[in-house]
Amino acid sequence: MSFPLPLPNKPIILASSSPRRAELLQKIGLVFEIHPSHVDEEDGVYHLPPAEMVTELARRKALAVAAQYDSALIIGADTTVVLNHKILGKPATAAEACEMLAQLAGHTHDVYTGFVLIDQPGGRSVQGVERTAVTFRQLQRDEIAAYVASGNAMDKAGAYGIQDFSAVFVERIEGCFYNVVGFPLTHFYRKLQEFL
């Protein structure tokens, strides 16, 4: 499948090392290169409201990579999980992952993804942010322990990935499913239509 929109004759760069984002963009036929930004995701943004935080981090990632290209279309993105106004980032340890999942169990949390596109040269940009509400069922301690032991919790905000076994933790979602995976495809596509 080829991408349905006419794209500029320049490289498209995904400023992210997330395999999930890459897989989602490949699903809609976008051809791109991957160039992770290595931006410090904890540098002075946690005071911002979640929607602003993820958009600012996406902007920083895109700008860091855009500075290395004379001509390219750069895509930056960032995703976070928020429970009762508390940011749940990527867990640093297995114990922290277990704690996060125990907090999410039986409650509704929000997943925010911000994205930014920058066109080089010139620096013209557009941005968007998506929020999806996700409700977890009650979880047993052994379920949480088994999931964390699988290793799938460790590189994901909120310590879970809805596209893997933790899908059975989810009772319902309200909003964009792909946003929870890591990239809101419909919102991105509409913004790209405006941008091109």
Side-chain angles (χ1 to χ4, degrees):
M1 174 187 155
S2 61
F3 194 70
L5 294 178
L7 294 168
N9 187 24
K10 60 178 67 176
I12 297 173
I13 310 296
L14 176 61
S16 172
S17 59
S18 166
R20 295 164 294 281
R21 288 195 187 110
E23 288 168 9
L24 289 176
L25 290 171
Q26 288 165 354
K27 280 181 185 292
I28 60 173
L30 198 65
V31 177
F32 55 90
E33 301 169 27
I34 295 172
H35 187 146
S37 67
H38 306 297
V39 163
D40 183 355
E41 297 186 16
E42 298 186 3
D43 182 22
V45 293
Y46 278 94
H47 66 285
L48 296 172
E52 293 180 30
M53 184 190 81
V54 292
T55 306
E56 173 62 16
L57 284 171
R59 184 186 69 81
R60 291 182 186 183
K61 292 175 183 180
L63 283 172
V65 171
Q68 301 177 58
Y69 289 87
D70 293 326
S71 178
L73 184 63
I74 315 296
I75 304 167
D78 189 76
T79 299
T80 198
V81 170
V82 181
L83 175 67
N84 297 327
H85 308 290
K86 179 184 177 184
I87 303 290
L88 300 181
K90 296 175 183 177
T93 64
E96 188 179 358
C98 288
E99 182 183 345
M100 283 185 185
L101 291 169
Q103 290 176 47
L104 294 174
H107 296 96
T108 298
H109 62 274
D110 292 317
V111 178
Y112 289 86
T113 300
F115 63 87
V116 173
L117 291 102
I118 297 177
D119 190 23
Q120 288 287 76
R124 187 170 64 98
S125 67
V126 67
Q127 66 185 43
V129 65
E130 188 82 15
R131 180 184 70 85
T132 303
V134 181
T135 302
F136 270 27
R137 61 176 173 81
Q138 292 290 349
L139 303 177
Q140 302 298 318
R141 287 185 181 179
D142 59 346
E143 290 180 295
I144 293 173
Y147 179 68
V148 172
S150 75
N152 287 329
M154 299 312 297
D155 67 337
K156 300 175 181 72
Y160 79 96
I162 197 170
Q163 72 282 358
D164 61 30
F165 179 79
S166 66
V168 302
F169 298 166
V170 178
E171 205 164 66
R172 65 179 180 275
I173 71 168
E174 297 172 48
C176 175
F177 168 79
Y178 293 111
N179 183 48
V180 185
V181 180
F183 202 78
L185 289 176
T186 298
H187 195 164
F188 168 75
Y189 182 78
R190 288 175 174 167
K191 283 291 185 181
L192 187 58
Q193 280 181 307
E194 298 171 15
F195 194 63
L196 295 176

